[in-house]
Amino acid sequence: MKKCYFFVFLFIFSYTVMFGQWNKISMEKASSGGVITPVTYQMAVEDNKLYVATNDGIYESASANGGDWTPFGLQGKKVYLLNFEILKLALTIEAASDDATKFTLQLYKYNGSSWENTGFNAAKLSVFGAYPDNLTNFAQLQNGDDVVIILPTWGNGIWRSPDGGDSWIQVPYEDHPSNGYQFYRKIPGVFSFPGSNTVYALDKADYRMQYLSISTDFGQTWTHKEVDNFFNPWALYKQTIDGIEYLYYGGENGEKGYLYRSADGGNSWDASFTLGDGGLHNRRMIADERGKIYLLSGRGEVYVSADNGDTFQSLNSKAVVPQSTGTNNFYYSHLIILNQKLYLSTIAQGIYTYSLANSGLRSDNSDKLIISISDDQTELIVRTETGSKISVYSVSGKLIKTIIASNATSKLNIGDLGASVYLVKSLSMSGELSVGRFVKK
């Protein structure tokens, strides 16, 4: 597996988690009585209002706290994906016109007073509805006066509208050089990020090997980069830390890692192995303003990383949020951040929130791990809490040395290490993790 040689951390993180912060919000309607369907899919935020896609259209909570839900259109339709970044867009799953036993996808646009169907899949053909649960995201970008929309499909490729949904162009397939698969054909998700014209697509162009497809011209032309060998790709996120732009890629199975990270635009990747079975269905990744990464496992858990994806810790959602559908891979459907809260939607139990402001979860610059090297480059001097487990890793993630700190200052022999950057982790007896790095010359 290719490895990423960019573990350059100019910070030290420590964090703790206090459980029990998950609370279910009311799904009661504001005036018409009753509750909205408990089957909720993606959410969207605008002007501090919360919107949720359900089996009965879209609902709005003006308070974003529930209990004041009002219909926002497309009632009677199964609305699956929402994107309110520029236009208000909603992707629905409906019966196909050419086979009522199959599904099809339809894209709707809000015109200020009502929802109108765009020109995507005007004939409502079933070929556009294969495995809709595999779809996790679509994108829209501003290109001058026009809004470019880019939609993924599972088996029918990437579709691009240069004019806000009026007309559509399919991205041509490209044959894989060594098998019968094709690039740009099976695409679970398309992602864009503020401040950039680059678009990313998760590409299952092989039975096991997954790819990241990239376009820098609003989806007109694409290139692809190999990631690693696992099953289905679902999640992508991008953020910049200490001037380095990181890409995070995740999905199902993850035999070699549950989150992949690249610091060189997708040319090389390293993998995190810390999640356990719950991380085998990585459906969504987001981050807060301090760079902490939150990962949603569709099978039923939420994780947080305060060290740029190097390690993850459970937020204990599985112990709090009821799961009535067994091992359904898509039970947890979406995760967003609004006003210092995580919002978690589920397919059977409504929406839950987790307060980040009062959770006890923190990340800060700390003096709990101080690293220095002797003048002759043979000893690593580590100052940390007595009893802490100190571990040294190569940039490829290989554990090289580990000791238990018997005093506040520990010394490790590094005379046998080659010139490189190395990662140091200190795990205290109370469970606090600090991460640093050193350069051996």
Side-chain angles (χ1 to χ4, degrees), residues 28-76:
E28 293 184 1
K29 299 177 183 178
S31 59
S32 57
V35 297
I36 68 172
T37 171
V39 179
T40 55
Y41 301 105
Q42 277 203 353
M43 298 170 287
V45 172
E46 186 177 74
D47 297 329
N48 287 320
K49 297 178 181 179
L50 180 66
Y51 299 83
V52 61
T54 78
N55 272 353
D56 184 30
I58 304 170
Y59 283 83
E60 173 196 88
S61 171
S63 68
N65 293 317
D68 58 352
W69 294 100
T70 55
F72 194 70
L74 298 176
Q75 269 58 53

Side-chain angles (χ1 to χ4, degrees), residues 296-318:
L296 173 69
S297 168
R299 185 168 284 185
E301 192 56 282
V302 178
Y303 298 91
V304 61
S305 173
D307 55 9
N308 195 28
D310 210 44
T311 59
F312 281 84
Q313 189 164 345
S314 167
L315 286 185
N316 210 30
S317 57
K318 195 169 187 176

Side-chain angles (χ1 to χ4, degrees), residues 316-332:
N316 210 30
S317 57
K318 195 169 187 176
V320 180
V321 181
Q323 185 169 1
S324 61
T325 53
T327 59
N328 188 299
N329 294 341
F330 314 122
Y331 176 73
Y332 285 6

Side-chain angles (χ1 to χ4, degrees), residues 160-181:
R160 174 182 179 271
S161 173
D163 50 16
D166 292 335
S167 62
W168 293 86
I169 304 165
Q170 184 181 19
V171 174
Y173 302 146
E174 181 179 318
D175 291 335
H176 193 285
S178 61
N179 60 48
Y181 285 72

